[in-house]
């Protein structure tokens, strides 16, 4: 469908609101600039002074907010370049961490910051980049940018979109504006029916929306081993015969339940070891304190890196230390060592961590009831018998003990996880088809 060009009054209204907010909030913004480097870095680009590019040829501007969205574009960007071999692809992000990851993922692309959604910044950026089309990965709905692109007849395609219930609730308060923002898009590719329905409820025209799936799943690779896993086991003192439970990407507040369940499992399986891997570095110290507060010893991975002396073996019959994975970049290696995996951030209302990572390694999974960040994946994996949902220490202990007692059941669950993930792949191809349809023969 053709994007709807909003009346200039809406652009004026949005920018008048921005100007009013700036008039009130400029002292705070000035303080942020003075005290926080991340707000000063690439400030010119944020204000629209992005690289000036020649106006000749096709140019596709891909935008991703931060690290997660860059990862979602990992398979999309190569596919886009294959679909449009004559076009130049440029890439923008909103955050510094996203920019760094984009440079790692796409070292041959020009990468810059997305402009602030204020008319002079947006106009400057569009003049300098001069894109044939803009493709946004996931969902930042910037009215000024979308309206300005539509008025210039630059198609904007939003892909891999999801819209949480909290996000939809907030947008309902400004539904008249959001309806025009959504319909300024040439097309919107969403991850699931649920997100399409929410957009339509907010006023998006159904004909603009296509369910294409989650592109991150196309980047999942299947393996039985992870490089470095064996060395990791040696360095933290895991030995043959140990049964390993890995609680991966955990969130604050989950430790007490995990540690209580672990103690119950040890009554039936004295050779079990628990590895607790918090999601964020700022949670490492708190997790260590929680372990010690439960009366258990802690073995920190950071203190037993390669080349250091391995830890002493636990005293026969004694309680072995809980291993705290307090380093970054080793989660997949921990998962590779696991006999069973607890998917973290699911016992607390954070939304759950990525189940595709342990699932790709064919690990049986257990998680809590708060997996709302994965409204399609989590129910599908449970329905396929690849995972079990628990609500507290009692049923968590029962589920983990059951998996340790019956390894064949765990293998069946792991295979079901792989089969389910394979069935979810293909979103990149569907998204490229949507982009082709939206851009037509002109791009």
């Amino acid at each position: 469908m053709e994007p709807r060009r909003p009346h200039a009054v809406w652009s004026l209204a949005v920018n008048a609101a921005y100007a009013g907010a700036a008039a009130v909030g400029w002292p705070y913004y000035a303080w942020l600039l003075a005290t926080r480097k991340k707000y000063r870095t690439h400030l010119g680009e944020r204000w629209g002074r992005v690289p000036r590019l020649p106006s000749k040829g096709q140019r596709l501007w891909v935008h991703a907010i931060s690290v997660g969205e860059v990862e979602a574009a990992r398979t999309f960007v190569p596919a886009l370049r294959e679909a449009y071999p004559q076009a130049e692809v440029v890439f923008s992000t909103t955050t510094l961490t996203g920019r760094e990851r984009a440079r790692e993922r796409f070292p041959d692309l020009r990468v810059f910051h997305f402009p602030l959604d204020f008319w002079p910044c947006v106009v400057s950026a569009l003049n300098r980049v001069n894109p044939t089309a803009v493709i946004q990965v996931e969902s930042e709905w910037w009215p000024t940018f979308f309206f300005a692109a539509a008025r210039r007849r630059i198609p904007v395609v939003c892909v891999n979109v999801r819209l949480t219930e909290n996000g939809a609730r907030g947008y309902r308060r400004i539904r008249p504006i959001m309806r025009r923002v959504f319909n300024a898009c040439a097309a919107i590719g969403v991850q699931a029916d649920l997100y399409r329905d929410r957009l339509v409820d907010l006023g998006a025209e159904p004909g603009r929306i296509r369910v294409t799936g989650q592109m991150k799943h196309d980047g999942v690779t299947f393996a039985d081993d992870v490089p470095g896993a064996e060395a990791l086991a040696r360095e933290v003192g895991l030995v043959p015969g140990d049964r390993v439970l890995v609680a991966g990407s955990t969130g604050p507040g989950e430790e007490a339940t995990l540690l209580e369940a672990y103690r119950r499992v040890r009554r039936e399986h004295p050779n079990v070891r628990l590895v607790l891997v918090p999601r964020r570095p700022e949670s490492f110290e708190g997790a260590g304190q929680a372990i010690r507060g439960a009366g258990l010893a802690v073995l920190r991975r950071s203190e037993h890196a390669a080349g250091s002396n391995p830890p002493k073996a636990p005293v026969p019959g004694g309680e072995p230390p809980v291993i705290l994975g307090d380093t970054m970049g080793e989660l997949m290696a921990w998962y590779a060592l696991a006999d069973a995996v607890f998917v973290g951030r699911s016992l607390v209302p954070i939304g759950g961590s990525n189940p595709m990572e342990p699932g790709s390694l064919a690990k049986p999974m257990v998680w809590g009831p708060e997996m709302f960040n994965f409204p399609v994946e989590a129910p599908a994996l449970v329905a396929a018998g690849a995972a079990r949902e628990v609500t507290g220490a009692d049923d968590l202990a029962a589920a983990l003990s059951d998996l340790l007692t019956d390894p064949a059941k765990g293998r069946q669950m792991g295979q079901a996880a792989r089969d389910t993930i394979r069935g979810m792949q293909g979103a990149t191809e569907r998204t490229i088809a949507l982009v082709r349809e939206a851009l037509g023969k002109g791009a």
Side-chain angles (χ1 to χ4, degrees):
M1 296 178 68
E2 284 291 319
R4 291 188 179 275
R5 296 205 297 168
H7 196 277
V9 169
W10 286 101
S11 296
L12 290 171
V14 169
N15 281 267
Y18 288 161
V24 174
W26 72 263
Y28 179 63
Y29 183 59
W31 177 80
L32 289 175
L33 291 176
T35 59
R36 300 191 184 181
K37 183 179 179 181
K38 71 176 183 178
Y39 288 98
R40 299 192 303 271
T41 305
H42 305 295
L43 182 61
E45 292 183 0
R46 298 175 195 271
W47 282 90
R49 303 287 292 181
V50 298
R52 187 181 295 278
L53 306 178
S55 59
K56 60 183 179 180
Q58 297 177 338
R59 181 171 296 120
L60 303 179
W61 178 353
V62 179
H63 174 61
I65 305 166
S66 192
V67 173
E69 293 75 24
V70 173
E71 289 302 308
R74 183 173 61 175
T75 57
F76 175 70
V77 168
L80 184 68
R81 298 177 82 176
E82 183 177 349
Y84 294 92
Q86 303 305 317
E88 178 188 9
V89 177
V90 298
F91 203 98
S92 68
T93 66
T94 301
T95 68
L96 287 172
T97 53
R99 184 186 183 116
E100 292 167 3
R101 183 59 59 87
R103 288 191 179 280
E104 294 171 4
R105 285 287 181 207
F106 315 116
D108 58 336
L109 295 189
R110 192 185 299 267
V111 179
F112 50 90
H113 259 65
F114 195 75
L116 295 172
D117 196 52
F118 193 53
W119 190 263
C121 308
V122 168
V123 169
S124 175
L126 288 173
N127 286 342
R128 287 169 170 268
V129 177
N130 194 33
T132 307
V134 178
I135 303 166
Q136 180 172 274
V137 181
E138 298 201 17
S139 45
E140 273 189 329
W141 307 100
W142 293 113
T144 301
F145 188 93
F146 281 42
F147 292 169
R151 292 188 67 80
R152 293 176 177 225
R153 299 189 183 279
I154 299 171
V156 175
V157 183
C158 293
V159 301
N160 213 57
V161 169
R162 70 187 187 103
L163 180 60
T164 66
E165 179 54 38
N166 284 340
R169 190 179 302 115
Y171 288 147
R172 287 190 193 103
R173 299 189 183 100
I174 51 172
R175 189 177 186 276
I177 293 176
M178 295 312 301
R179 176 169 61 86
R180 287 166 173 81
V181 173
F182 299 142
N183 294 325
C185 298
I188 303 172
V190 298
Q191 297 178 19
D193 293 338
L194 173 67
Y195 305 135
R196 176 194 58 197
D197 295 343
R198 286 174 180 166
L199 286 168
V200 171
D201 180 64
L202 289 166
E205 296 170 352
R208 297 187 188 280
I209 306 172
R210 185 85 50 82
V211 179
T212 51
Q214 165 61 278
M215 291 194 297
K216 280 185 182 177
H217 301 339
D218 293 345
V220 173
T221 57
F222 303 96
D224 295 322
D225 299 299
V226 172
E230 291 185 5
L232 178 62
R234 289 194 303 270
E235 288 158 12
V236 297
L238 293 174
V239 298
D242 283 341
R243 310 297 302 281
V244 181
L245 304 178
V246 174
S249 285
T250 60
E254 293 185 310
E255 295 91 355
T257 301
L258 290 166
L259 294 167
E260 176 61 27
Y262 164 64
R263 279 193 147 152
R264 296 185 188 189
V265 171
R266 276 192 56 78
R267 295 170 191 165
E268 294 184 42
H269 303 276
N271 59 341
V272 72
R273 298 294 303 274
L274 174 64
V275 179
L276 199 155
V277 189
R279 171 68 175 262
R280 300 187 183 281
E282 53 265 32
S283 299
F284 292 161
E285 190 57 41
Q289 291 175 1
I291 296 168
R292 289 188 291 271
L296 297 167
V298 182
L299 188 154
R300 299 187 70 136
R301 160 59 175 160
S302 60
E303 297 175 358
H304 297 278
S308 64
N309 293 325
K312 296 180 180 179
V315 176
E319 192 96 9
V322 173
I323 299 170
L324 177 60
D326 60 343
T327 55
M328 300 299 290
E330 293 188 310
L331 182 58
M332 290 299 285
W334 288 121
Y335 283 152
L337 299 173
D339 291 281
V341 168
F342 170 79
V343 177
R345 305 202 308 168
S346 60
L347 288 170
V348 288
I350 301 177
S353 296
N354 187 359
M356 300 299 171
E357 293 173 334
S360 70
L361 294 170
K363 300 299 179 179
M365 294 174 286
V366 180
W367 55 62
E370 303 286 355
M371 287 288 287
F372 55 81
N373 281 338
F374 301 89
V376 175
E377 297 87 345
L381 287 162
V382 171
R388 290 176 61 174
E389 183 178 306
V390 300
T391 57
D394 290 343
D395 49 348
L396 175 57
L400 294 173
S401 184
D402 185 33
L403 291 172
L404 295 178
T405 301
D406 188 356
K409 184 174 184 177
R411 289 191 292 271
Q412 291 173 358
M413 291 177 68
Q415 186 58 49
R418 283 183 168 175
D419 293 342
T420 303
I421 294 169
R422 285 192 179 98
M424 293 179 179
Q425 293 182 324
T428 301
E429 182 179 349
R430 292 188 290 271
T431 300
I432 290 294
L434 176 67
V435 170
R436 282 186 174 279
E437 180 181 329
L439 303 191
K441 296 180 180 179

